[in-house]
Structure formats: C-alpha cells, structure tokens
Amino acid sequence: MSAQQADEEPAGAAPPPLLRLLSAFFYGTCSFLIVLVNKTVLTTYRFPSPMVLGIGQMATTILILYVSKFSKIIHFPDFDKSIPMKLFPLPLLYVGNHISGLTSTSKLSLPMFTVLRKFTIPLTLLLEIIILGKRYSMGIIVSVFAIILGAFIAAGSDLSFTLEGYTFVLLNDIFTAANGVYTKQKMDPKELGTYGVLFYNAYFMVIPTMILSFSTGDLQQVTDFKHWTNFLFLFQFLLSCFLGFLLTYSAVLCSHYNSALTTSVVGAFKNISIAYIGMLVGGDYIFSILNFIGLNICMAGGLRYSFLTLRDHKKPKQPTDEENVS
C-alpha cells in the first residue's frame, strides 16, 4: 500500500477489495498489539499516567507525519484558519478516545475491558443510523442484543469491579463510535485527507493535554517514576508511542476504505483473542463461572454479528428505478 494511496482515491469510487482487506488486517494487528503493550506498561510496570502515555503517542504522530510531509513522502494541507471548523469535533473525540482507552486499560482486567468495549458496536450502529442514515437487518439487531446481554452478565459477576474502570471504558466506547463515524464524514480527500485528519487531530490536542497533565500532577509522577532506567520498560513505552500512531493511522485508513461499522467488526475479532489471552496476561483477572459464561455469550454475539455484517455486505445491490432507466 503506497504512502499517498488513501488520499488519491477518487471521490465516490469503490476501493479495490485488496485495499479494503489489507486496511482491515492492518488495523486488527495494530489494535491487538497495542492493547498487550499498553497493559504491560500501565499494569505490570505500574506507569502512573495514562494521560502522559497518550501525549507520547500524539507527539509521535505529529513528528512522523511532519517529517514525512517535509520529505515529500506524503501530502496534507498547510494550516489555515478554516481547518479547525472543518475538523471539529474530531480533535475532542480523538483525545477523549486516547485517554479513556488508556485509563480503562490500566484499571480493568483484559477480559472485562474486552467485553465492555463491545458496547462500541451498538453505539456505532446507532450513530450510523442517526448520522449516516444507514439501516440494518433484524438479525444484526438480535446479535447486538446478545452482545449487550453477555456484557451485562459478565459485568454483574465481575469480582474485580471498579467504578472508575467501568466509567472510563464506557466513555471510551462512546468516543470510539463517534470518532469512527465522524472520521468517515469529515475525511474528504479534496480537503484534509487521511494524513491531514491524523496530523491536525494530534496537533490541536497535544498542548491542551500537556497542560491538563501538569495541572493534575501527572507530569510530576512521571518524572519521579523509577523504571526510566529499565531498558525493557523504555523499549515498551516507545513501542506503545509508535503503535499509538499506527493504530490511529490504521483506524482512519480502515474507516476510509471500508465503513465505520467494518472497523468496529475488525476490532471485535481482535477482542475475542484479547479476551482469552488476557486471562493469562496482567494478572488481574479473577475467574468466576457466571462471568465466564457472560463473556462467552458476548463473544458469540460478536461473531454472529460479524458474520451477518459481512454476509450482508457481499449481497449485490438491487438496482434502483433510476439505474433501470439508465
């Protein structure tokens, strides 16, 4: 996939199937890796500030895209006064998605984080109906109900329940769903394009987030953190920052070549792997029969939902009257 391919896609043209597949696979891989790396940094090493880790990821995004633009590898518009209005509310959703996701990762076990992240699917469904005017079959709606039911059963028997963790992961669901839908709406190749959306989201929010982290005392805690001389921790911290850029880029790319809903479906497949691997990683999952049953109901609903979504996507469209006339 070439560097400028996403921005050069003709408006209204159907993306090639290979690009759609590769962008979905790229997003799934990045999403899988970053959850494991973030969990290690925030839980195993007890890094004190998810906000500062988010700042590192934003700074990495800005640096990589600016150097690439300066080297003429990629292109996006120079700053002008109209860009904030073109982009709003994406920067707010972007930073909210970042910080809430990292915070909930540090507060919850990976299986419960995965189950509660499933609420992104019904939220995306609802937002695409309201904002993009889409309609979905009864089978998909029933699958979404199974996801919600399983999540409630698992959450009701969660022996490691924390109100803060649940609050942040539900906020993360809202930000993720809204970010995917609005990215699809705002990403006009003739205006900001893929790279412009990425760069200006991070550019507008990195300074306000730094000010917020200073006012909350997070920067002081990070300065006093004891593992900065630990090579393995430092490697994983920098890897998390780089993966933060790759995840944001791959999510935008997947939403561009597919739909916001497809992006959520890919995330759902990744979550199935994370849920079971997470029982062994992090050391903070407490097993109970009811919780495990709820987790499996949620995963089964997610698989059924993904199957129905992909099946409906492959169905040929019925020609409209206007197409018959032509």
Side-chain angles (χ1 to χ4, degrees):
M1 195 181 302
S2 66
Q4 293 187 349
Q5 230 165 337
D7 285 340
E8 292 172 355
E9 194 73 34
L18 181 61
L19 283 182
R20 289 167 57 188
L21 179 64
L22 288 176
S23 65
F25 178 77
F26 182 38
Y27 169 67
T29 303
C30 292
S31 185
F32 177 82
L33 289 175
I34 196 170
V35 171
L36 294 181
V37 173
N38 285 343
K39 186 65 178 175
T40 302
V41 169
L42 294 168
T43 302
T44 305
Y45 288 101
R46 300 188 182 279
F47 187 71
S49 176
M51 194 183 305
V52 172
L53 183 58
I55 291 170
Q57 293 176 355
M58 284 186 267
T60 304
T61 297
I62 293 169
L63 180 63
I64 291 173
L65 290 178
Y66 182 79
V67 170
S68 300
K69 177 179 167 64
F70 184 78
S71 305
K72 301 189 185 304
I73 298 172
I74 62 172
H75 170 75
F76 55 87
D78 294 327
F79 179 78
D80 64 63
K81 294 179 181 179
S82 68
I83 285 180
M85 291 305 297
K86 288 177 183 176
L87 206 56
F88 184 83
L90 274 182
L92 297 176
L93 298 174
Y94 167 81
V95 74
N97 192 25
H98 245 65
I99 305 306
S100 61
L102 289 169
T103 304
S104 55
T105 301
S106 68
K107 301 293 182 184
L108 295 171
S109 67
L110 283 180
M112 284 312 301
F113 172 78
T114 300
V115 165
L116 294 171
R117 285 284 290 138
K118 288 284 187 185
F119 279 105
T120 300
I121 293 176
L123 286 171
T124 300
L125 204 76
L126 182 63
L127 287 173
E128 288 202 336
I129 290 171
I130 295 171
I131 296 171
L132 303 181
K134 293 192 176 182
R135 293 291 179 267
Y136 296 99
S137 67
M138 182 57 67
I140 286 180
I141 293 171
V142 170
S143 299
V144 168
F145 176 77
I147 291 170
I148 296 171
L149 176 64
F152 272 113
I153 293 172
S157 54
D158 182 12
L159 300 179
S160 57
F161 172 83
T162 66
L163 180 61
E164 187 181 7
Y166 273 58
T167 301
F168 274 106
V169 77
L170 292 176
L171 283 173
N172 189 226
D173 291 338
I174 295 169
F175 283 126
T176 301
N179 190 64
V181 173
Y182 276 104
T183 295
K184 189 71 176 177
Q185 188 184 56
K186 297 283 183 178
M187 200 166 55
D188 185 349
K190 294 179 181 178
E191 294 187 354
L192 296 178
T194 307
Y195 304 107
V197 169
L198 278 175
F199 180 82
Y200 288 112
N201 272 343
Y203 179 78
F204 289 139
M205 296 311 300
V206 67
I207 299 300
T209 309
M210 287 182 68
I211 294 171
L212 181 62
S213 68
F214 178 79
S215 64
T216 57
D218 280 39
L219 279 179
Q220 184 59 45
Q221 292 181 51
V222 168
T223 303
D224 299 334
F225 185 59
K226 63 181 180 180
H227 286 299
W228 285 119
T229 54
N230 184 326
F231 173 78
L232 192 57
F233 163 77
L234 198 59
F235 171 76
Q236 291 182 79
F237 181 86
L238 294 175
L239 179 61
S240 174
C241 291
F242 182 64
L243 284 171
F245 160 73
L246 283 185
L247 176 62
T248 307
Y249 171 67
S250 63
V252 171
L253 205 65
C254 189
S255 289
H256 177 68
Y257 283 123
N258 299 282
S259 70
L261 189 58
T262 303
T263 306
S264 290
V265 171
V266 174
F269 275 113
K270 174 266 304 182
N271 285 338
I272 292 171
S273 302
I274 289 290
Y276 295 109
I277 292 173
M279 294 179 184
L280 306 174
V281 175
D284 52 0
Y285 174 69
I286 303 174
F287 178 84
S288 75
I289 293 295
L290 200 57
N291 178 270
F292 187 72
I293 290 171
L295 191 149
N296 281 281
I297 291 173
C298 188
M299 295 301 159
L303 281 174
R304 176 65 178 166
Y305 164 82
S306 301
F307 168 76
L308 289 173
T309 303
L310 294 174
R311 187 191 67 180
D312 290 349
H313 188 73
K314 288 178 181 179
K315 286 181 180 178
K317 288 186 177 180
Q318 294 297 323
T320 63
D321 290 340
E322 186 175 327
E323 289 170 334
N324 285 333
V325 170
S326 62

